[in-house]
Amino acid sequence: MMTEISLNILDVAENSTRAGAALVTILVSVDSAADKLIATIKDNGCGMTKEQVHQVTDPFFTTRKTRKVGLGIPFFKYAAESTGGSFSIESEPGTGTVVTAVFGLSHIDRMPLGDINSTIETLITCHPDTDFLYIYRYNQASFELDTRNFREILGDIPFDTPEVSVYIKEYLSENKLETDGGAAI
């Protein structure tokens, strides 16, 4: 089992890129009053059939040819539900997939969010042909990073150029700190 929510988000977003998504939207929302942490990963990839959606939480089901088990989604579901939260997958072939995990924010079994800034920066720099919209909400405050806006400014300069990669990570760190005041999540 992955030890941080951000690593589960990375795993699901990697699935989105393998599904041919041109845009992956990642929302992390912390609502202290409702005592919830919500992670949503939405893509416009190839999507799944209803049968695949029903099977995807089975650890012995995978569409990969490299191994016979798929533990990422079942563990992510278990981690959310063990905190009194919920887990859902909506998908249609040719449309895309939405994965939503709701965690009990103060539940003793909730894993930490982890280094979400590094997760988002890794996804952006390692998938140059995929756009990412990252939205981080902490109670009433929020910020967004949209790689489509970065592409307009950067032109043909790739995201994995060291200076760009450093800028992306600093942008994420500064805005997260401004949004949540450095809260331990």
Side-chain angles (χ1 to χ4, degrees):
M1 180 181 281
M2 290 180 233
T3 57
E4 299 178 351
I5 293 171
S6 66
L7 295 177
N8 287 278
I9 291 171
L10 178 67
D11 182 55
V12 173
E14 287 287 343
N15 290 341
S16 294
T17 62
R18 280 192 292 275
L23 175 64
V24 178
T25 301
I26 299 170
L27 166 67
V28 174
S29 178
V30 176
D31 186 335
S32 300
D35 194 34
K36 298 210 180 299
L37 186 157
I38 301 170
T40 302
I41 303 96
K42 177 182 178 184
D43 71 55
N44 63 354
C46 66
M48 294 183 281
T49 64
K50 286 184 179 180
E51 182 177 277
Q52 288 173 318
V53 170
H54 289 295
Q55 292 175 318
V56 77
T57 56
D58 178 348
F60 299 105
F61 172 79
T62 184
T63 57
R64 290 186 187 178
K65 307 292 183 216
T66 55
R67 60 181 185 222
K68 295 182 180 186
V69 295
L71 298 176
I73 293 292
F75 281 154
F76 195 23
K77 179 179 187 278
Y78 175 78
E81 291 176 347
S82 68
T83 66
S86 61
F87 187 87
S88 66
I89 299 176
E90 298 171 27
S91 188
E92 280 189 42
T95 302
T97 301
V98 180
V99 175
T100 303
V102 180
F103 293 83
L105 181 62
S106 64
H107 197 283
I108 193 168
D109 290 331
R110 182 183 61 82
M111 61 179 69
L113 176 60
D115 190 354
I116 190 68
N117 295 333
S118 291
T119 293
I120 300 301
E121 185 260 343
T122 298
L123 285 166
I124 291 169
T125 57
C126 291
H127 298 285
D129 297 327
T130 305
D131 277 311
F132 291 90
L133 171 59
Y134 171 59
I135 304 163
Y136 179 73
R137 291 188 188 134
Y138 185 82
N139 297 322
Q140 304 303 315
S142 69
F143 82 94
E144 295 181 6
L145 183 157
D146 190 333
T147 58
R148 294 170 293 188
N149 295 335
F150 281 29
R151 285 186 204 283
E152 285 182 25
I153 296 167
L154 294 171
D156 293 335
I157 301 171
F159 291 141
D160 64 351
T161 302
E163 294 84 3
V164 175
S165 176
V166 167
Y167 175 79
I168 290 170
K169 192 146 188 186
E170 288 175 357
Y171 180 89
L172 289 163
S173 296
E174 290 171 9
N175 282 284
K176 183 178 182 300
L177 180 61
E178 187 174 302
T179 300
D180 65 17
I185 303 169

Short mmCIF file of all heavy atoms in Angstrom, two decimals, residues 1-14 72 76 111-116 118-119:
data_model
loop_
_atom_site.label_atom_id
_atom_site.label_comp_id
_atom_site.label_asym_id
_atom_site.label_seq_id
_atom_site.Cartn_x
_atom_site.Cartn_y
_atom_site.Cartn_z
N MET A 1 0.84 -1.18 0.00
CA MET A 1 0.00 0.00 0.00
C MET A 1 0.89 1.24 0.00
O MET A 1 1.88 1.31 0.70
CB MET A 1 -0.90 0.01 1.24
CG MET A 1 -1.81 1.22 1.29
SD MET A 1 -2.87 1.29 2.74
CE MET A 1 -4.14 0.14 2.26
N MET A 2 0.52 2.20 -0.80
CA MET A 2 1.26 3.45 -0.83
C MET A 2 0.99 4.22 0.45
O MET A 2 -0.11 4.17 0.99
CB MET A 2 0.86 4.25 -2.06
CG MET A 2 1.36 3.61 -3.34
SD MET A 2 0.90 4.53 -4.78
CE MET A 2 0.13 3.23 -5.72
N THR A 3 1.99 4.93 0.92
CA THR A 3 1.91 5.55 2.24
C THR A 3 1.45 7.00 2.23
O THR A 3 1.30 7.59 3.29
CB THR A 3 3.28 5.47 2.93
OG1 THR A 3 4.24 6.11 2.07
CG2 THR A 3 3.68 4.03 3.18
N GLU A 4 1.25 7.57 1.05
CA GLU A 4 0.81 8.96 0.95
C GLU A 4 -0.29 9.08 -0.10
O GLU A 4 -0.27 8.38 -1.11
CB GLU A 4 1.98 9.87 0.51
CG GLU A 4 3.14 9.89 1.48
CD GLU A 4 4.29 10.76 0.96
OE1 GLU A 4 4.24 11.20 -0.20
OE2 GLU A 4 5.21 10.98 1.75
N ILE A 5 -1.22 9.99 0.14
CA ILE A 5 -2.29 10.22 -0.84
C ILE A 5 -1.69 10.70 -2.16
O ILE A 5 -2.14 10.30 -3.24
CB ILE A 5 -3.31 11.22 -0.27
CG1 ILE A 5 -4.04 10.60 0.92
CG2 ILE A 5 -4.29 11.67 -1.35
CD1 ILE A 5 -4.93 11.56 1.70
N SER A 6 -0.65 11.52 -2.10
CA SER A 6 -0.06 12.05 -3.34
C SER A 6 0.48 10.93 -4.23
O SER A 6 0.41 11.03 -5.46
CB SER A 6 1.03 13.07 -3.04
OG SER A 6 2.13 12.45 -2.41
N LEU A 7 0.99 9.85 -3.65
CA LEU A 7 1.49 8.73 -4.46
C LEU A 7 0.35 7.99 -5.13
O LEU A 7 0.48 7.51 -6.26
CB LEU A 7 2.32 7.78 -3.60
CG LEU A 7 3.61 8.38 -3.04
CD1 LEU A 7 4.32 7.38 -2.13
CD2 LEU A 7 4.53 8.84 -4.16
N ASN A 8 -0.80 7.91 -4.46
CA ASN A 8 -1.99 7.32 -5.09
C ASN A 8 -2.46 8.20 -6.24
O ASN A 8 -2.87 7.69 -7.29
CB ASN A 8 -3.10 7.15 -4.05
CG ASN A 8 -2.81 6.03 -3.09
OD1 ASN A 8 -3.05 4.87 -3.39
ND2 ASN A 8 -2.27 6.35 -1.92
N ILE A 9 -2.41 9.51 -6.05
CA ILE A 9 -2.79 10.44 -7.13
C ILE A 9 -1.84 10.25 -8.31
O ILE A 9 -2.27 10.20 -9.47
CB ILE A 9 -2.77 11.89 -6.61
CG1 ILE A 9 -3.92 12.10 -5.62
CG2 ILE A 9 -2.86 12.89 -7.76
CD1 ILE A 9 -3.87 13.42 -4.87
N LEU A 10 -0.55 10.12 -8.03
CA LEU A 10 0.44 9.88 -9.08
C LEU A 10 0.11 8.62 -9.86
O LEU A 10 0.13 8.60 -11.09
CB LEU A 10 1.84 9.78 -8.47
CG LEU A 10 2.99 9.48 -9.43
CD1 LEU A 10 3.23 10.64 -10.39
CD2 LEU A 10 4.26 9.19 -8.65
N ASP A 11 -0.23 7.55 -9.16
CA ASP A 11 -0.55 6.27 -9.79
C ASP A 11 -1.77 6.41 -10.70
O ASP A 11 -1.75 5.95 -11.84
CB ASP A 11 -0.81 5.22 -8.70
CG ASP A 11 -1.10 3.85 -9.28
OD1 ASP A 11 -0.27 3.34 -10.07
OD2 ASP A 11 -2.17 3.29 -8.96
N VAL A 12 -2.83 7.05 -10.22
CA VAL A 12 -4.04 7.19 -11.03
C VAL A 12 -3.76 8.10 -12.23
O VAL A 12 -4.19 7.81 -13.36
CB VAL A 12 -5.21 7.76 -10.18
CG1 VAL A 12 -6.42 8.06 -11.05
CG2 VAL A 12 -5.59 6.77 -9.08
N ALA A 13 -3.03 9.20 -12.02
CA ALA A 13 -2.71 10.10 -13.13
C ALA A 13 -1.83 9.42 -14.17
O ALA A 13 -1.97 9.68 -15.37
CB ALA A 13 -2.06 11.38 -12.60
N GLU A 14 -0.94 8.55 -13.73
CA GLU A 14 -0.12 7.77 -14.68
C GLU A 14 -1.03 6.87 -15.52
O GLU A 14 -0.82 6.72 -16.72
CB GLU A 14 0.93 6.94 -13.94
CG GLU A 14 2.09 7.74 -13.39
CD GLU A 14 3.04 8.24 -14.47
OE1 GLU A 14 3.03 7.72 -15.59
OE2 GLU A 14 3.81 9.18 -14.18
N GLY A 72 -3.04 -0.74 -7.30
CA GLY A 72 -3.14 0.69 -7.03
C GLY A 72 -4.54 1.15 -6.70
O GLY A 72 -4.78 1.74 -5.63
N PHE A 76 -6.09 2.30 -3.03
CA PHE A 76 -6.55 3.69 -2.92
C PHE A 76 -7.99 3.70 -2.37
O PHE A 76 -8.32 4.47 -1.47
CB PHE A 76 -6.48 4.35 -4.29
CG PHE A 76 -6.57 5.86 -4.28
CD1 PHE A 76 -6.24 6.62 -3.17
CD2 PHE A 76 -6.97 6.53 -5.43
CE1 PHE A 76 -6.31 8.01 -3.20
CE2 PHE A 76 -7.04 7.92 -5.48
CZ PHE A 76 -6.72 8.65 -4.35
N MET A 111 -3.93 8.45 5.73
CA MET A 111 -2.53 8.67 5.39
C MET A 111 -2.31 10.14 5.10
O MET A 111 -3.26 10.85 4.73
CB MET A 111 -2.13 7.80 4.19
CG MET A 111 -2.89 8.10 2.92
SD MET A 111 -2.40 7.09 1.49
CE MET A 111 -2.96 5.47 1.95
N PRO A 112 -1.09 10.64 5.26
CA PRO A 112 -0.84 12.06 4.97
C PRO A 112 -0.96 12.34 3.48
O PRO A 112 -0.80 11.44 2.65
CB PRO A 112 0.60 12.26 5.47
CG PRO A 112 1.21 10.91 5.49
CD PRO A 112 0.10 9.93 5.73
N LEU A 113 -1.22 13.61 3.17
CA LEU A 113 -1.26 14.00 1.76
C LEU A 113 0.08 13.74 1.10
O LEU A 113 0.14 13.29 -0.03
CB LEU A 113 -1.65 15.48 1.62
CG LEU A 113 -1.64 16.05 0.21
CD1 LEU A 113 -2.63 15.30 -0.69
CD2 LEU A 113 -1.97 17.54 0.24
N GLY A 114 1.16 13.99 1.81
CA GLY A 114 2.49 13.76 1.25
C GLY A 114 2.95 14.95 0.42
O GLY A 114 2.39 16.04 0.49
N ASP A 115 3.96 14.71 -0.38
CA ASP A 115 4.59 15.79 -1.16
C ASP A 115 3.85 15.97 -2.48
O ASP A 115 4.33 15.58 -3.55
CB ASP A 115 6.06 15.46 -1.38
CG ASP A 115 6.83 16.63 -1.96
OD1 ASP A 115 6.20 17.67 -2.29
OD2 ASP A 115 8.06 16.51 -2.09
N ILE A 116 2.68 16.59 -2.39
CA ILE A 116 1.85 16.77 -3.60
C ILE A 116 2.54 17.68 -4.61
O ILE A 116 2.38 17.50 -5.82
CB ILE A 116 0.44 17.30 -3.21
CG1 ILE A 116 -0.51 17.26 -4.42
CG2 ILE A 116 0.52 18.69 -2.61
CD1 ILE A 116 -0.87 15.89 -4.89
N SER A 118 5.75 17.80 -5.39
CA SER A 118 6.66 16.98 -6.18
C SER A 118 5.90 16.05 -7.12
O SER A 118 6.33 15.79 -8.25
CB SER A 118 7.58 16.16 -5.27
OG SER A 118 8.48 17.00 -4.61
N THR A 119 4.77 15.53 -6.65
CA THR A 119 3.94 14.67 -7.50
C THR A 119 3.48 15.42 -8.75
O THR A 119 3.61 14.92 -9.87
CB THR A 119 2.72 14.16 -6.71
OG1 THR A 119 3.19 13.28 -5.68
CG2 THR A 119 1.74 13.42 -7.60
#
